[in-house]
Amino acid sequence: MNKQSTQKATQVYELLRRSIIMLEIKPGAPIVEKDICAELSVSRTPVREAVQKLAEEGLVNVISHSGTYVSGISFQVAEEGFVIRRALEIESVRRAASRYNDAAGAELDAIVKRMQVLIDTGRLELYLEEDDMLHEAIARLSGMPRIWKFITLAKVHLDRMRQLSAPVPGHLAMVTEQHAAIVAAIRAGKPDQAELAMRIHLESSFDVMARLYQEGTSMFSQEAS
């Protein structure tokens, strides 16, 4: 593929990936290449390249002689992503607390404030993006920004569970309080306190998601992945 085609494939991939993670395209929905080509004014080549990357991430299933469909959320893969994320985020937040500076603190505070505005205005569907911005900023502050890249790759199915849990009454308000506690610990320069705050945040959030899975929903895959 030439450079322009590669850029188009990346754009299509990022657009589809976001739509799948945000549950705008739900599990089981077909991915029709010709419709995407028409909607985005691109050829089949970048769309096929994007679909291939999504298949490698487990976000779509390509079925011969049938079509391409958005995969169900795999709880097993989501749980693996949670375990990987927890390990890396704990290391990240400990280092961030040791490297605190006022500019980073202002950035973290601003993100938490935007999270609260989203809750106050009921725009919960946008919360996940601000949430990720906070954790990515912590990774940058840690001095190891590529940590976030590995977390992003590991948490694909987890992200869809996070989006599914957003409307749970009181959940995001609790999450925002937990984010504020993490930022306060970083600001205080206390790695142990920051680690504890991060553990509480990640583990309690996953507990909410796990309950959704146990209650059963068509969003989840019925097969072990």
Side-chain angles (χ1 to χ4, degrees):
M1 283 181 41
N2 59 37
K3 184 176 180 180
Q4 185 177 13
S5 185
T6 299
Q7 289 176 338
K8 286 184 177 179
T10 299
Q11 291 170 354
V12 174
Y13 161 75
E14 290 176 349
L15 180 64
L16 288 175
R17 189 181 191 276
R18 181 186 184 279
S19 295
I20 292 170
I21 287 174
M22 297 287 286
L23 301 179
E24 293 168 355
I25 306 177
K26 295 189 175 4
I31 300 293
V32 183
E33 289 185 5
K34 64 183 176 84
D35 290 349
I36 296 170
C37 292
E39 183 179 348
L40 302 179
S41 299
V42 296
S43 67
R44 288 270 180 127
T45 300
V47 174
R48 286 174 178 167
E49 180 76 12
V51 167
Q52 182 179 347
K53 288 182 68 176
L54 293 169
E56 290 170 358
E57 286 191 86
L59 286 174
V60 301
N61 296 319
V62 181
I63 303 173
S64 297
H65 310 298
S66 176
T68 300
Y69 303 89
V70 176
S71 66
I73 302 170
S74 168
F75 181 78
Q76 178 183 341
V77 175
E79 187 172 29
E80 289 174 357
F82 161 69
V83 170
I84 293 168
R85 178 178 187 176
R86 180 177 56 186
L88 292 177
E89 290 256 37
I90 284 172
E91 184 65 30
S92 177
V93 80
R94 290 188 65 88
R95 289 174 179 267
S98 300
R99 293 167 53 90
Y100 174 78
N101 61 71
D102 289 341
E107 179 184 11
L108 296 175
D109 287 341
I111 296 171
V112 172
K113 286 179 181 177
R114 292 200 299 268
M115 289 174 171
Q116 188 60 56
V117 170
L118 291 178
I119 293 173
D120 293 343
T121 56
R123 291 178 291 165
L124 305 185
E125 71 281 359
L126 301 177
Y127 190 95
L128 181 61
E129 293 178 337
E130 292 291 347
D131 191 321
D132 280 351
M133 286 180 67
L134 180 76
H135 289 270
E136 184 178 9
I138 292 170
R140 288 199 306 273
L141 179 56
S142 77
M144 293 187 171
R146 283 181 293 181
I147 280 180
W148 185 248
K149 177 182 178 180
F150 294 117
I151 292 172
T152 299
L153 292 172
K155 68 184 182 71
V156 175
H157 284 260
L158 183 64
D159 278 346
R160 290 198 285 170
M161 285 180 65
R162 289 166 67 202
Q163 194 67 31
L164 200 59
S165 70
V168 172
H171 175 55
L172 291 186
M174 177 190 71
V175 166
T176 304
E177 290 177 2
Q178 292 169 347
H179 284 143
I182 293 168
V183 172
I186 292 172
R187 185 183 287 280
K190 296 181 177 180
D192 289 346
Q193 183 178 325
E195 175 182 337
L196 178 59
M198 183 64 79
R199 279 186 180 275
I200 290 171
H201 164 53
L202 294 177
E203 291 175 2
S204 64
S205 292
F206 188 74
D207 284 345
V208 172
M209 297 179 229
R211 285 200 296 274
L212 291 175
Y213 170 69
Q214 290 161 2
E215 290 169 2
T217 167
S218 59
M219 295 281 189
F220 289 94
S221 170
Q222 299 303 310
E223 299 178 356
S225 298

